[in-house]
Amino acid sequence: MNDKLQQGDRLPELALNLIDGGTLSLPGDMSSRYLAVLFYRGVW
């Protein structure tokens, strides 16, 4: 089974917790149809 997104796939619905206590819903809260998501691990 291939769980990776392929070219042309839609981004699955994601709800991300923000450090200010809010929530960011993707892709719903984005104003553009193009989106890049980067994850940064702040502490190793």
Side-chain angles (χ1 to χ4, degrees), residues 23-42:
T23 302
L24 177 67
S25 296
L26 298 177
D29 289 340
M30 298 292 97
S31 61
S32 173
R33 64 180 268 190
Y34 299 104
L35 176 68
V37 179
L38 303 174
F39 293 94
Y40 174 75
R41 183 176 174 177

